[in-house]
Amino acid sequence: MHFAKNDKGYTLVLAIAIITLFMVLSLSLMTLTISGAKKSKMRETSTQAQNLAVKGIDYAVERIQTSLNEEISGGKNASEFKTILENTLDQYSCKHKKINLPDTSTGNAEVCIQSYSDLSETNPYKKLVTFEGIGSAEGKTEKVRSAYEIGADLELEMFDYALSTFKKNNNGGNLSIHGGVEVHGNMNIDGNLYASDKSRYKTRTVHSVLPRAYNSNMNLTGNSIRVYKPFQMEGHLAPVSEMFHPSAMPANVPRDVIHPDFNIGQIIDNFKFDKNSDGVTLMKVGNLENKGTNIGAWNLKSNAEKVVLKFLGKTDYDWTIWGKNRFKAIAFPKDLKIKYDPSILTDPEFTVTNWAYIGADMEIGLHTSNELTHLLETDVTINGAYFVNDDLRINTARLTGHAVFFVRDKVEIEFSQLDGTFFIFANGPVTIKYVANNHNERIDSRQRSYINGFIFSNDSITIDGATSLLTINGGLSANNIYVTSIRGRAIELIWPPVLNHGLQSYWSGLHLNYFEKAENQNKDRIKIGLLLKDTIDIESRLQIRHDPVALVNYLDVMRINKIDKPVEIDREFVNP
């Protein structure tokens, strides 16, 4: 009886223990389930807050991009653009103002600019901008930081050199420098260096001396090849000491090559507008010459923000412009010719304070292929920024001014004299010859031409210095560069023949051309004349001089009316 009672007591205790265990397990499972649900909800809320922070940053970047493009839509020079860019970024600094993400029912986000700095030492017009976004959702906050590149890439590194070449698709990058060319400043050569002591006149080889390089450090990534004739690749490997005149030798200093990414076509397209664009004024032309599809006009002026010329209700003409003309911004749907007309009493002058868009070719001067018509050179002044959708030709002009040209195809400059600040950026080849050449003169007394600026080509630059008298204060940069020159005189049609003392002669057509003899080109000055009493200096007819002022001038004349697409380069999630 006693044992039966004990068994019943053990059974009760065991039952209570089992029930208690199940209750504990159930409670633990319920707790875990509730905890998991809470954690899942927290993770969902945290992700939602992060997404809001990211969306807020995207919104802020787009808002700043839109604001900048609106501010510069009329075209700003580099200094003005830099001020606008920095003022806009300062406006949204975390110390001043935050941008709120609009129209969201899942939470909110605040974004500001934590910091910004110049993307590189050479380009203060593009910034590395760090955004800070704080997203909030159902009481949970998350912080995100993103770094963006914002601004305009002006490709300024090439301005550090007198001469620079670069490869494209692993091709080119060569510098061919022949005869008495002078280089003052550093050179960066991404391919081979070709040199000789010969120059060129048309298809003829002219005896000269080796080129000279003053105050020059040269980075050469390829071979140095001494060739037998200008612009030919036949030759032999030679040390740099055999490529330049012993009196002026560059130092070979390795450094990084430059690879400018100049999308000239896109730059031109950024400035394109026509009669149907917003804010355009159709200007009816009164002073004109009607030649069918080519309309001539003169002395045109307008203060409208954007102008397209109209004649008989139409705008789709080639235009020839004379006299003094001034606009803020103007677009020509086809060709533009700027030239002299004797019936107009003033030399042609064309100025745009913002820019001009030319839908086809731009031509400046009389345009002739006859060497003797240089006497008809006309004085032309060009100021402003010009975006040319096809070719640029400067022919038979005495050109002055302060201008930048972006050209989709090729550039040809010949039978002209230049004295001004000019920048040329071309997709196609650039050819310069017969610039301030000396026709029908007994001694080399004609004024030297000066291009205070820079010439760039995504293709090639060719300068025939033997037939020119030219100094470029700035530099050249291209996929390939070909330059040739002599030192001393280059004269045509001398009479009597006794005055030809010290010159080498070459027939061209029906007349003789004379160039300084090679032995004289090694001298600083020589005596000439019947009794050898007159003294003249022997100088290079093509001098390329690096000048840091060229960059300052470029930034002043260049127009920026659209910034590059922002690029995110880093993102991190930070505990708030």
Side-chain angles (χ1 to χ4, degrees), residues 130-161:
T130 300
F131 290 87
E132 182 177 273
I134 299 177
S136 300
E138 298 183 20
K140 180 66 176 176
T141 61
E142 292 288 344
K143 183 183 294 185
V144 178
R145 290 197 186 103
S146 291
Y148 276 81
E149 294 179 3
I150 294 179
D153 195 346
L154 301 186
E155 294 290 349
L156 303 179
E157 190 177 4
M158 60 189 172
F159 283 90
D160 292 338
Y161 300 94

Side-chain angles (χ1 to χ4, degrees), residues 294-310:
N294 190 303
I295 305 299
W298 55 90
N299 295 338
L300 304 176
K301 294 179 176 63
S302 175
N303 289 321
E305 293 299 322
K306 295 179 181 178
V307 168
V308 173
L309 301 181
K310 179 177 68 172

Side-chain angles (χ1 to χ4, degrees), residues 5 9-10 42 71 91 94 105 136 149 155 176 199 207 281 289 324 396 429 433 449 467-468 523 526-527 532:
K5 290 182 178 178
Y10 288 140
M42 289 177 64
E71 285 276 345
Q91 181 181 351
C94 293
S105 59
S136 300
E149 294 179 3
E155 294 290 349
S176 294
S199 185
H207 297 286
T281 299
E289 179 182 69
K324 295 185 179 296
T396 325
K433 58 185 178 180
S449 277
T467 62
S468 299
K523 302 174 182 178
I526 62 171
K527 292 184 179 294
L532 299 181

Side-chain angles (χ1 to χ4, degrees), residues 184-437:
H184 296 253
N186 296 335
M187 295 180 281
N188 198 328
I189 306 167
D190 196 14
N192 295 330
L193 169 66
Y194 299 90
S196 73
D197 59 357
K198 305 293 191 296
S199 185
R200 184 179 70 174
Y201 173 64
K202 295 187 176 179
T203 60
R204 303 289 300 273
T205 297
V206 178
H207 297 286
S208 184
V209 292
L210 285 171
R212 306 185 186 199
Y214 296 94
N215 302 317
S216 180
N217 292 328
M218 180 179 68
N219 175 47
L220 174 63
T221 63
N223 296 316
S224 54
I225 302 171
R226 181 75 179 264
V227 298
Y228 310 122
K229 292 184 178 181
F231 305 162
Q232 293 187 1
M233 302 306 177
E234 297 179 2
H236 61 275
L237 294 176
V240 173
S241 59
E242 295 181 15
M243 309 291 282
F244 291 88
H245 197 274
S247 66
M249 190 81 58
N252 199 2
V253 179
R255 62 173 297 173
D256 293 337
V257 297
I258 61 173
H259 294 99
D261 184 20
F262 237 146
N263 191 338
I264 292 174
Q266 183 60 58
I267 293 173
I268 293 171
D269 290 342
N270 288 345
F271 288 85
K272 178 180 179 179
F273 67 92
D274 57 28
K275 64 180 181 180
N276 297 316
S277 301
D278 293 339
V280 169
T281 299
L282 295 180
M283 179 178 173
K284 185 178 179 180
V285 177
N287 299 332
L288 55 83
E289 179 182 69
N290 185 356
K291 293 184 177 180
T293 60
N294 190 303
I295 305 299
W298 55 90
N299 295 338
L300 304 176
K301 294 179 176 63
S302 175
N303 289 321
E305 293 299 322
K306 295 179 181 178
V307 168
V308 173
L309 301 181
K310 179 177 68 172
F311 172 64
L312 295 179
K314 297 181 180 180
T315 61
D316 195 25
Y317 298 104
D318 297 324
W319 288 90
T320 299
I321 304 295
W322 309 294
K324 295 185 179 296
N325 307 271
R326 188 177 183 88
F327 301 90
K328 287 185 176 181
I330 185 169
F332 297 90
K334 293 184 176 180
D335 291 351
L336 170 63
K337 298 179 181 179
I338 301 174
K339 59 188 294 186
Y340 175 77
D341 188 300
S343 65
I344 308 298
L345 299 180
T346 57
D347 293 323
E349 179 178 324
F350 201 99
T351 296
V352 287
T353 55
N354 288 335
W355 77 88
Y357 171 81
I358 296 91
D361 296 339
M362 182 176 185
E363 299 182 356
I364 302 171
L366 296 179
H367 302 280
T368 176
S369 59
N370 187 337
E371 298 176 31
L372 297 181
T373 57
H374 71 283
L375 297 174
L376 300 176
E377 284 178 357
T378 178
D379 292 315
V380 182
T381 301
I382 301 292
N383 296 305
Y386 297 82
F387 299 88
V388 184
N389 203 39
D390 206 336
D391 298 339
L392 169 65
R393 291 187 288 272
I394 301 172
N395 186 304
T396 325
R398 289 188 296 271
L399 184 62
T400 60
H402 192 76
V404 58
F405 301 92
F406 282 85
V407 184
R408 193 180 295 272
D409 204 344
K410 65 179 181 291
V411 176
E412 296 175 350
I413 304 174
E414 57 183 346
F415 305 114
S416 295
Q417 189 169 341
L418 294 88
D419 189 5
T421 301
F422 301 110
F423 298 87
I424 297 172
F425 300 90
N427 258 344
V430 177
T431 304
I432 301 176
K433 58 185 178 180
Y434 300 106
V435 173
N437 53 317

